[in-house]
């Protein structure tokens, strides 16, 4: 099992390697989408660019490689952003949902998340 630590929500979720990040977030009833995505999203086929997450901890091998769809859709976004629907989990990782509207206390939340040891 791997652990996905969600900074905004302050929770750790266990999952099996190979799980799709979008599906995991929805299954766990966490909020993946901002308003635009809530009003309409593509259902996970990589077309709407509303399922952004930022990767805040872990290693380069923690997630599946960036897909061609992501390369196109994330051209103008920070390097640590992914589309959750295109991302498979491999190892434990720290994630911020909805990085396009970060919480005002993000710095503190990140410190808290980084201070707890992340299982592999
Ligand atoms: S859900 Fe539409 S791009 Fe991910």
């Amino acid at each position: 099992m791997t652990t996905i630590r969600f900074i905004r929500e302050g929770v750790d979720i266990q999952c099996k390697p190979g799980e799709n990040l979008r599906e995991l977030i929805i299954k766990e009833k966490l909020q993946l989408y901002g308003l635009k995505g809530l009003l309409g999203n593509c259902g996970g086929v990589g077309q709407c660019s509303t399922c952004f997450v930022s990767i805040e901890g872990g290693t380069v091998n923690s997630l599946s490689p960036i897909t061609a769809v992501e390369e196109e859709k994330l051209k103008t976004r920070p390097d640590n952003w992914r589309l959750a629907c295109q991302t498979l989990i491999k190892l434990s990782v720290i994630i911020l949902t909805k990085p396009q509207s970060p919480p005002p206390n993000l710095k503190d939340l990140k410190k808290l998340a980084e201070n707890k040891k992340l299982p592999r």
Side-chain angles (χ1 to χ4, degrees), residues 22 32-33 41-51 83-86:
R22 175 184 177 271
L32 173 63
Y33 295 110
N41 64 73
C42 69
V45 296
Q47 294 304 304
C48 68
S49 297
T50 61
C51 63
L83 294 177
C85 70
Q86 301 295 300

Side-chain angles (χ1 to χ4, degrees), residues 96-115:
L96 174 67
T97 52
K98 298 186 288 180
Q100 66 275 30
S101 52
N105 59 341
L106 178 59
K107 223 175 178 178
D108 296 333
L109 293 176
K110 270 172 134 176
K111 261 190 204 155
L112 271 177
E114 289 163 1
N115 285 342

Side-chain angles (χ1 to χ4, degrees), residues 74-88:
L74 297 172
K75 267 185 199 162
T76 60
R77 304 293 180 169
D79 290 345
N80 67 332
W81 284 29
R82 299 288 306 262
L83 294 177
C85 70
Q86 301 295 300
T87 304
L88 303 179

Side-chain angles (χ1 to χ4, degrees), residues 1-4 15-19 59-65 87-93 120:
M1 293 297 260
T2 59
T3 300
I4 310 303
C15 70
K16 291 183 190 141
E19 280 199 54
T59 71
V60 288
N61 296 321
S62 296
L63 302 170
S64 57
T87 304
L88 303 179
I89 298 155
K90 291 166 68 181
L91 298 170
S92 296
V93 67
R120 289 212 77 212

Side-chain angles (χ1 to χ4, degrees), residues 54-71:
S54 66
I55 311 310
E56 303 293 338
T59 71
V60 288
N61 296 321
S62 296
L63 302 170
S64 57
I66 295 216
T67 65
V69 166
E70 287 178 289
E71 279 188 19

